[in-house]
Amino acid sequence: MTVEYTLQHILLLVALTLALIFTYKTLVERDLIEAIVYSAGQAVAYGLAFIALMAPDLALAYIAVGVGIYSALFIIVVSHTERYEKE
Amino acid sequence: MDLAIVKSIVSGLMVLFITAIVLYTIRIIRGPTIPDMVLAVDALAYDMAVMIIALSFLFNTPYLAVASLPLVLWAYILDMYVAKYLERKSIGD
Amino acid sequence: MILEVIGWIGISLLAIGALMDVIAAIGINKFKNFYLRLHAATVGIIGGAFYPLLGLGLLSLSLEQLGVIRFYIAGISFTSAFFVLITAPVGSHILARAAHRVGVMPEPIGVDRLKEDREKGVFK
């Protein structure tokens, strides 16, 4: 019984650390396409954290919106404007 | 087979998957070009689909396993849109 | 008897998948240019996601103690494995095509027939 709970704690720790790193890189990135890719990685890490916290409905909605629709919409928006953010 | 032994083996193998996820993250952060990063995000997402099913197997709850299907179906939308953006910029319209 | 064999096949598929995933993750950090990393990532996706999903499905089918849950987990696992097999190569190919068009090249390059053909007008 304890093996699964140890795995759950390790998974939660790794997922939240990755989400923190991805969020920081999204904030400081100047290239907007790279920022969108980082944000997709952050959505994957949050999905992992939601699964580790036993919330499958939240993970289902967050993965579909965060990985798919969100990045597709933002790439369409960036393609109509400029790619690099000015200083 | 004994259920406790099987669960111990699956939990031990999941540690290898967590190691692989951390290594993929290093490539996403270091990646020099955009296709490298998108490729690593893809591999990360498909690894996570395996971990969802494994957790649902370890905790005996069938509700956790549903989240794997939309992840597998939606993960390559990012590939398609990034590739479309890059190609359209290189052609020039 | 047959269930035990199926269960051990599932565990070995899961172990092979985990090893291939770690090897691919090391390789994606060690290789030098994008096209070599594409090879490592394909090993990581097909070997590291398709085989473990098949293995988890077979493993949960073979355990009778789980009750009705085992059919549920096995069904979702096989369906996910099928979709991984379809969608992952599409993504890899489309990224390789876009990377060649946008000009991602390995550093010491001798000859590039695809680029010559594209300039000659064989491909669009």
Side-chain angles (χ1 to χ4, degrees):
Chain A
M1 211 57 183
T2 58
V3 179
E4 295 106 272
Y5 288 101
T6 314
L7 181 72
Q8 190 182 15
H9 290 169
I10 294 173
L11 200 61
L12 194 57
L13 188 68
V14 170
L16 290 181
T17 312
L18 293 191
L20 181 64
I21 295 172
F22 281 136
T23 311
Y24 177 72
K25 292 293 283 183
T26 309
L27 279 176
V28 301
E29 186 61 55
R30 291 281 170 198
D31 189 346
L32 291 180
I33 298 291
E34 288 192 16
I36 290 169
V37 176
Y38 283 134
S39 128
Q42 181 258 353
V44 171
Y46 260 38
L48 202 56
F50 285 145
I51 287 296
L53 289 173
M54 316 280 271
D57 45 353
L58 213 54
L60 206 141
Y62 201 88
I63 287 164
V65 172
V67 179
I69 301 171
Y70 183 83
S71 45
L73 273 180
F74 268 83
I75 285 177
I76 292 172
V77 168
V78 169
S79 75
H80 283 93
T81 59
E82 292 176 345
R83 178 173 163 179
Y84 293 99
E85 190 177 336
K86 289 192 181 62
E87 287 292 328
Chain B
M1 282 187 287
D2 194 9
L3 199 56
I5 297 175
V6 172
K7 283 189 177 178
S8 309
I9 294 173
V10 174
S11 305
L13 289 175
M14 282 305 113
V15 177
L16 290 181
F17 278 96
I18 293 176
T19 315
I21 283 179
V22 173
L23 287 174
Y24 284 134
T25 310
I26 295 175
R27 174 47 73 193
I28 296 175
I29 289 169
R30 279 176 53 202
T33 61
I34 290 173
D36 285 322
M37 297 164 58
V38 179
L39 207 59
V41 169
D42 242 23
L44 198 70
Y46 287 122
D47 273 1
M48 202 190 118
V50 178
M51 292 203 88
I52 290 171
I53 302 244
L55 275 187
S56 130
F57 172 74
L58 287 177
F59 287 103
N60 284 338
T61 53
Y63 303 109
L64 277 182
V66 190
S68 160
L69 213 49
L71 179 65
V72 168
L73 283 176
W74 282 96
Y76 84 116
I77 296 286
L78 183 67
D79 288 12
M80 272 174 52
Y81 274 89
V82 169
K84 199 175 159 189
Y85 177 80
L86 290 177
E87 284 198 24
R88 189 169 62 181
K89 202 190 65 176
S90 77
I91 292 171
D93 75 333
Chain C
M1 178 58 199
I2 186 71
L3 283 183
E4 195 132 337
V5 173
I6 289 177
W8 282 110
I9 289 173
I11 287 181
S12 33
L13 274 176
L14 192 60
I16 290 171
L19 277 179
M20 281 174 91
D21 204 18
V22 173
I23 290 170
I26 292 172
I28 209 172
N29 277 302
K30 297 280 276 186
F31 283 151
K32 282 194 183 63
N33 58 53
F34 171 70
Y35 299 98
L36 295 176
R37 280 179 214 134
L38 193 67
H39 157 68
T42 308
V43 170
I45 290 171
I46 296 296
F50 177 66
Y51 287 171
L53 283 172
L54 273 187
L56 276 171
L58 290 178
L59 181 59
S60 63
L61 265 187
S62 75
L63 290 171
E64 277 181 329
Q65 301 96 306
L66 288 180
V68 192
I69 294 172
R70 67 182 201 270
F71 298 115
Y72 199 92
I73 295 178
I76 288 189
S77 171
F78 289 145
T79 316
S80 298
F82 176 68
F83 282 124
V84 166
L85 198 59
I86 289 182
T87 59
V90 174
S92 300
H93 277 82
I94 215 168
L95 267 181
R97 186 171 184 269
H100 189 270
R101 292 243 171 148
V102 90
V104 177
M105 282 296 148
E107 200 42 59
I109 180 162
V111 61
D112 190 355
R113 297 286 184 212
L114 182 57
K115 198 176 174 185
E116 290 171 11
D117 275 354
R118 194 168 284 149
E119 282 164 358
K120 225 181 297 177
V122 182
F123 294 119
K124 186 166 174 285

